[in-house]
Amino acid sequence: MKTQMSHSVPPPAVQALLDEAAWIRSLARRLARDASEADDLVQETLASALEHPPDRGQQRRAWLAVVVANAARALRRSRARREVRERAAARPEAQPSTAELVERAGLQRELVEAVLELDEPYRTVVLLRFYEGLTPRAIAARLGVPVATVRTRTARAVARLRMRLDDRFDGDRGAWLALVLPPPLAAIPPKYTQAPPVAAVPLSIPIAGGVLLNAKLAVAVAVVLALTALVLFRTSGMEPSSPPDMVVAGAPIGVAPNTPPSSQLRDVDTAHGRSAEAPQIASTKPAAKQAVPAASAPMLRGIVMDGDGRRLGGVAVGIERGEHDVSTLATSTVDGSFSAPFPAESGPLVAAGSAWSTVFSAQPMRGGPDAVVVLAPRLHLAGFVVDTTGALIAGAEMRLEMPADLRTRFSVDMDHSARIDQRTASDDAGRFEFDALPRLRGAELVVTSPGFDARRLPLEELVDPFTVVLNRPGQLAEVLQGIVVDVEGLPVDDATVAFGLETTRTQPDGRFTFRLDDPRSWNARMRVVPELVRAVRVGFLPGEWAAPVVGGKPTWPPGVTLRLGAEALTISGRVRGADGEPRAGLRVWALDSEVFGAGRRGPLVLENVLAGADERLWSFVETDAEGRFALHGLLARPYTLRAQDPATMQMVDEVGIDAGRTDVEMRLPADGLFLRVASVVRGHDGTPIAGVNIHPMCDVYRARFRGDVVSTSHDAVDGVTTDAEGRFTLERVPQALVYLRLDGAQILPLEYGRYAEGDPRFENAPVKELPRDHIEALDIRVDRRAHVQIELADPTAGDAFQLLDEQGRPIELSVFEGNNRQEGMQIDLLEGRSPVVSGSDRGRTLVLLKSGVEVDRRNVALDPKATTHVAW
């Protein structure tokens, strides 16, 4: 009998999977470390897909992308665990001597006493954390306090223990590290990329050649192991393999200036090193001093810190000249400080090298305070955004949100440091990538996409790669759905829809969705009750729908249709100079355009969106060679127009110009300039102040929402700096609608004569506009800038504070961040601690508040030359 052989044919599901093998391999290569690892990922993906195929109806590639990402994550976790086991199994080369054992035992006994002598509530937190091995979340649940409070108390307690050891060894941390750490940790070279686990230490462990520790001693060693290992590895750009709840101890702030030195808490550096890429383990040898150029050369001095306020040594910083283009300037020394000749090129100071991500950049200032650069270990993060069916989502926006208490972690003046914004969006394949996220405690990744609920993901819990799954609003959630159509009734893609302040964009089918009860929406945060939903698209008049009011509240149906109108309108005309001749290059804009929602970077102006300039708040056009202009994207109503000469900021307004007009004539006024403005700038004590910058400035546009000013755009021309006698002179300054902006590292900003444009915020200013009668003999008084930070022993004792002058009047307090400023008459405390705040040298009394009621007050003398730290 002849046997006939047949070739087997794969079943349809297997064949479909094999058809995707090339695509899977391409994706795996992007996620893997090397070609071998990519092959492993392909095999794992195919095996998983054959064993657990996708549900019917799921998009195959979207589902496979999730499987590949999960396989990559599992592979990396397995590799990390294997490396940890291999290092833990390594035996030390040498055993300590008897003398070292005796000295180590004595030190451990002293540390036991220090732990037990800690004040409450710090002692309890340390024992629960390191003796019972509880996580911060478990401790918070047991004590009935927030998790952030547990972390703060742990950090402060460990800092006190660390300082006690530093004091005993005269600041030589290398000496006590060698005694306290067991040999396997004390001898770890810096080449390793991960630290052994330090979160859990058994109650009785062998240390130093067989010496067994009792339970109390284990507490002390656990604390020190956690502290020192994290100091060594976290500041070296290495990530410990302990759980996310493990906290690195931060340096405490000081106390009031009049406290005796013996009771002051001093800053302790926790990073030592020499390499610009990754700080090295502490050395017992003194660090080599950087070469100091000739005294005549202007110097730039600064400090490098991590995201918890500790100083970083061995880190290179430089001037950012462009994206991925940093010119190295200096490397920080052991105490985190650096100095270099003042750079000729301009740009912010950032991290140089690939190990660190910049959290706060610093702007170099001649004669100003130390430039403070804040860094965090650099985190690469990539993956996919999908919905609950596995379908890839394109265009999902992702941004890093800094922790609310970030500024309270620093005990130095950071007025001239600015936070770095981190955001991206998923591409057409649903893939996203962050190249340099800062691994920052408490930071969150916020993911949003039209038609989906926002996701907030703790950065500490994310691994690379990972997949973000977005949910559509649930059936139980109250939602407003709708569709945007054009004048012919066809769906409109990518229209901007505003529901109160909250905004979204329509999908390709014209549909949109809003949650009515979203507690994180702009409406909830700004306490806005939406009364209108409005859609706008470039070139068309808006479509809108107003909710009927029932019982004093707007009532929203399950769905609405918004129909866009005809083309938006235009105003055109000509601008002439004082001599009647047409002027080219002048700016023209509408003063009273309308804010209709909040965008990614601030208020969205309706007319700007209609004209295609939705990212700009102040939007203007420029006149051509014949002085002509045309403003597009206007509604069918009258507008107030403003024209400006950018060289001098001289302006003219025209009121009541109906949209659609083409014959508008505007003319700059004659004799509208002060030929010379001269003044002397003094402190309140009458002493002249040198180095103050003065710029003529004006408010060119105020964004209003429901009549209230929500944002202001400014314009300025080149200014001057006061000389050694505090004097300055300006030429050709407009007589109307302009004020003088005074600023500098030594003073609080002053806007002299800002009520010129009738801004009600400045109606009580002593000088409402530039005085004409003595414009060449001005005497301007300013507040010297003084910094203060307070910390409460009991974080529940107060939630805010005020600063009063000699007459008991509140003084405005400010938190600066580069060019941005938040000001108010009181500053909130987070977990009993404030950021470093800018106040006036006129401040005499600090008032502690709780729920708006005074609970205590203290006299204070603020020093403009140093930050005053107050322990309350």
Side-chain angles (χ1 to χ4, degrees):
M1 176 180 291
K2 185 177 181 180
T3 303
Q4 184 177 5
M5 298 182 65
S6 62
H7 296 283
S8 62
V9 178
V14 176
Q15 185 60 53
L17 186 60
L18 293 176
D19 290 342
E20 299 291 355
W23 181 85
I24 294 172
R25 183 169 289 104
S26 174
L27 176 60
R29 285 174 179 170
R30 286 186 284 172
L31 299 178
R33 182 172 59 178
D34 51 39
S36 175
E37 187 174 285
D39 290 338
D40 292 343
L41 287 181
V42 173
Q43 294 178 22
E44 289 289 337
T45 301
L46 292 175
S48 298
L50 288 173
E51 185 176 355
H52 302 287
D55 295 333
R56 184 172 299 176
Q58 281 188 294
Q59 295 186 18
R60 188 191 307 157
R61 287 195 172 181
W63 181 83
L64 286 172
V66 176
V67 176
V68 175
N70 289 338
R73 181 166 59 251
L75 184 62
R76 293 189 183 187
R77 286 175 174 172
S78 176
R79 184 175 65 244
R81 288 194 294 268
R82 183 177 64 254
E83 292 174 353
V84 169
R85 289 194 299 270
E86 291 172 354
R87 287 197 299 273
R91 297 184 60 185
E93 295 298 328
Q95 298 297 325
S97 67
T98 303
E100 289 175 340
L101 290 177
V102 173
E103 188 173 4
R104 180 176 292 136
L107 179 60
Q108 291 167 350
R109 185 182 303 109
E110 181 176 338
L111 188 52
V112 169
E113 296 173 356
V115 170
L116 299 178
E117 290 174 1
L118 284 172
D119 295 334
E120 291 295 354
Y122 303 115
R123 179 173 56 203
T124 296
V125 170
V126 169
L127 293 175
L128 291 176
R129 182 73 181 98
F130 298 109
Y131 178 60
E132 296 194 8
L134 300 182
T135 66
R137 289 188 177 90
I139 297 172
R142 177 176 293 192
L143 299 181
V145 298
V147 176
T149 300
V150 173
R151 288 173 170 159
T152 299
R153 291 174 182 175
T154 305
R156 293 173 184 171
V158 175
R160 285 159 171 78
L161 297 174
R162 183 180 57 199
M163 284 192 301
R164 180 161 175 167
L165 292 178
D166 277 347
D167 288 340
R168 173 177 169 179
F169 286 86
D170 296 325
D172 188 353
R173 183 163 301 161
W176 66 260
L177 281 177
L179 289 173
V180 176
L181 282 179
L185 284 181
I188 287 178
K191 65 181 181 181
Y192 291 125
T193 57
Q194 283 190 318
V198 295
V201 178
L203 296 184
S204 183
I205 57 178
I207 294 289
V211 177
L212 294 180
L213 304 179
N214 58 30
K216 289 184 178 180
L217 193 55
V219 176
V221 174
V223 173
V224 179
L225 286 177
L227 162 68
T228 53
L230 285 170
V231 165
L232 294 178
F233 295 106
R234 186 67 66 87
T235 57
S236 300
M238 308 173 186
E239 187 61 22
S241 56
S242 54
D245 285 336
M246 177 60 73
V247 180
V248 183
I253 67 172
V255 295
N258 56 359
T259 304
S262 60
S263 62
Q264 290 190 6
L265 300 179
R266 55 188 179 85
D267 285 335
V268 182
D269 65 283
T270 59
H272 303 260
R274 298 175 294 276
S275 168
E277 285 295 320
Q280 306 297 313
I281 294 178
S283 170
T284 56
K285 297 180 180 179
K289 295 183 178 180
Q290 295 183 356
V292 179
S296 59
M299 297 294 292
L300 170 64
R301 306 183 191 281
I303 304 169
V304 183
M305 310 182 80
D306 72 4
D308 283 312
R310 297 174 302 234
R311 302 194 175 205
L312 289 175
V315 178
V317 295
I319 297 292
E320 186 178 47
R321 297 179 296 193
E323 188 174 6
H324 306 303
D325 183 10
V326 178
S327 175
T328 301
L329 191 66
T331 299
S332 60
T333 59
V334 171
D335 65 353
S337 64
F338 66 88
S339 62
F342 203 91
E345 54 189 337
S346 61
L349 279 168
V350 297
S354 59
W356 299 92
S357 176
T358 306
V359 181
F360 282 87
S361 64
Q363 189 64 43
M365 295 186 64
R366 292 180 183 270
D370 287 345
V372 180
V373 182
V374 178
L375 310 178
R378 186 170 182 160
L379 171 66
H380 177 273
L381 203 59
F384 297 88
V385 184
V386 301
D387 64 14
T388 52
T389 69
L392 297 167
I393 300 175
E397 296 181 355
M398 313 182 75
R399 62 180 175 83
L400 179 67
E401 185 168 297
M402 300 296 186
D405 69 340
L406 182 59
R407 285 295 292 261
T408 69
R409 303 177 186 179
F410 307 103
S411 300
V412 296
D413 168 12
M414 294 180 58
D415 289 0
H416 304 287
S417 301
R419 271 187 287 188
I420 302 295
D421 187 38
Q422 293 261 25
R423 60 178 67 234
T424 189
S426 58
D427 60 19
D428 292 339
R431 189 174 189 273
F432 69 89
E433 182 173 14
F434 284 98
D435 180 55
L437 281 175
R439 191 183 291 276
L440 195 63
R441 175 172 59 87
E444 292 184 318
L445 194 64
V446 182
V447 188
T448 59
S449 183
F452 294 90
D453 287 336
R455 288 288 306 277
R456 304 179 71 87
L457 306 169
L459 195 62
E460 294 169 291
E461 300 177 6
L462 302 182
V463 294
D464 182 32
F466 81 105
T467 301
V468 182
V469 181
L470 297 183
N471 300 313
R472 295 189 182 278
Q475 296 297 321
L476 298 179
E478 295 187 35
V479 298
L480 170 65
Q481 296 180 326
I483 184 172
V484 178
V485 299
D486 60 17
V487 290
E488 298 178 355
L490 299 177
V492 177
D493 178 24
D494 203 35
T496 302
V497 186
F499 174 64
L501 280 174
E502 198 70 9
T503 60
T504 188
R505 296 197 179 238
T506 57
Q507 301 178 58
D509 60 1
R511 296 190 179 277
F512 63 89
T513 302
F514 289 102
R515 279 189 56 177
L516 300 181
D517 58 348
D518 185 358
R520 296 185 179 274
S521 68
W522 279 105
N523 294 329
R525 283 182 280 177
M526 302 301 293
R527 299 181 181 178
V528 169
V529 178
E531 300 172 351
L532 184 76
V533 59
R534 174 185 281 175
V536 296
R537 189 71 162 84
V538 176
F540 297 92
L541 291 174
E544 58 185 42
W545 193 87
V549 178
V550 178
K553 296 182 179 180
T555 303
W556 297 98
V560 297
T561 298
L562 305 179
R563 185 181 298 271
L564 300 179
E567 290 188 24
L569 303 180
T570 299
I571 294 177
S572 60
R574 190 194 307 263
V575 184
R576 303 179 185 273
D579 56 3
E581 294 297 318
R583 292 283 305 276
L586 301 188
R587 300 166 176 169
V588 183
W589 67 95
L591 273 181
D592 48 357
S593 51
E594 180 181 350
V595 170
F596 82 107
R600 292 182 303 171
R601 303 190 179 186
L604 290 177
V605 177
L606 176 61
E607 287 82 355
N608 291 357
V609 177
L610 295 178
D614 56 330
E615 291 298 324
R616 289 184 289 172
L617 184 60
W618 173 37
S619 181
F620 57 83
V621 299
E622 293 186 350
T623 57
D624 62 16
E626 297 180 352
R628 297 189 177 278
F629 70 90
L631 288 174
H632 303 288
L634 304 179
L635 305 179
R637 66 174 178 86
Y639 284 90
T640 296
L641 303 189
R642 173 168 289 180
Q644 180 207 56
D645 179 356
T648 63
M649 295 193 307
Q650 188 178 16
M651 293 175 284
V652 62
D653 295 346
E654 287 288 341
V655 181
I657 306 298
D658 290 322
R661 281 186 54 179
T662 60
D663 59 346
V664 178
E665 290 283 336
M666 304 181 72
R667 185 167 178 168
L668 294 177
D671 301 326
L673 299 173
F674 292 120
L675 298 182
R676 183 174 182 271
V677 174
S679 177
V680 60
V681 179
R682 309 176 191 270
H684 290 285
D685 58 359
T687 304
I689 302 178
V692 177
N693 302 315
I694 300 97
H695 297 268
M697 183 175 282
C698 62
D699 296 349
V700 289
Y701 178 73
R702 295 191 188 94
R704 299 179 184 272
F705 182 76
R706 297 182 178 178
D708 296 327
V709 175
V710 293
S711 185
T712 302
S713 296
H714 313 285
D715 192 25
V717 295
D718 291 341
V720 296
T721 302
T722 57
D723 60 19
E725 297 179 348
R727 299 187 180 278
F728 71 87
T729 300
L730 293 166
E731 297 180 351
R732 294 176 57 78
V733 177
Q735 296 180 5
L737 303 178
V738 169
Y739 52 89
L740 300 182
R741 163 84 177 193
L742 287 81
D743 201 354
Q746 302 181 62
I747 70 167
L748 288 175
L750 173 66
E751 285 151 351
Y752 186 79
R754 189 173 177 184
Y755 189 64
E757 296 193 61
D759 191 327
R761 293 174 294 173
F762 303 96
E763 60 184 347
N764 295 322
V767 180
K768 298 184 182 301
E769 60 182 358
L770 297 183
R772 297 172 180 267
D773 56 348
H774 57 285
I775 196 64
E776 296 188 25
L778 301 178
D779 189 350
I780 302 177
R781 300 299 175 105
V782 297
D783 290 299
R784 283 188 170 84
R785 191 180 302 198
H787 296 88
V788 62
Q789 182 178 42
I790 72 172
E791 180 181 15
L792 305 181
D794 176 7
T796 66
D799 53 28
F801 77 95
Q802 285 183 320
L803 178 65
L804 310 180
D805 63 13
E806 291 179 339
Q807 285 74 41
R809 297 170 300 192
I811 294 176
E812 188 173 71
L813 297 168
S814 302
V815 177
F816 291 89
E817 193 170 295
N819 294 325
N820 297 321
R821 176 188 183 190
Q822 297 179 352
E823 66 272 355
M825 293 303 178
Q826 66 182 46
I827 295 293
D828 292 338
L829 303 176
L830 292 176
E831 298 298 326
R833 183 166 168 143
S834 78
V836 174
V837 176
S838 294
S840 168
D841 61 334
R842 295 183 294 113
R844 295 293 180 267
T845 306
L846 287 172
V847 178
L848 183 63
L849 306 172
K850 186 171 184 178
S851 301
V853 178
E854 178 180 339
V855 294
D856 197 7
R857 64 171 55 199
R858 289 191 179 182
N859 295 330
V860 68
L862 300 186
D863 182 359
K865 297 181 180 180
T867 299
T868 301
H869 298 288
V870 179
W872 210 304

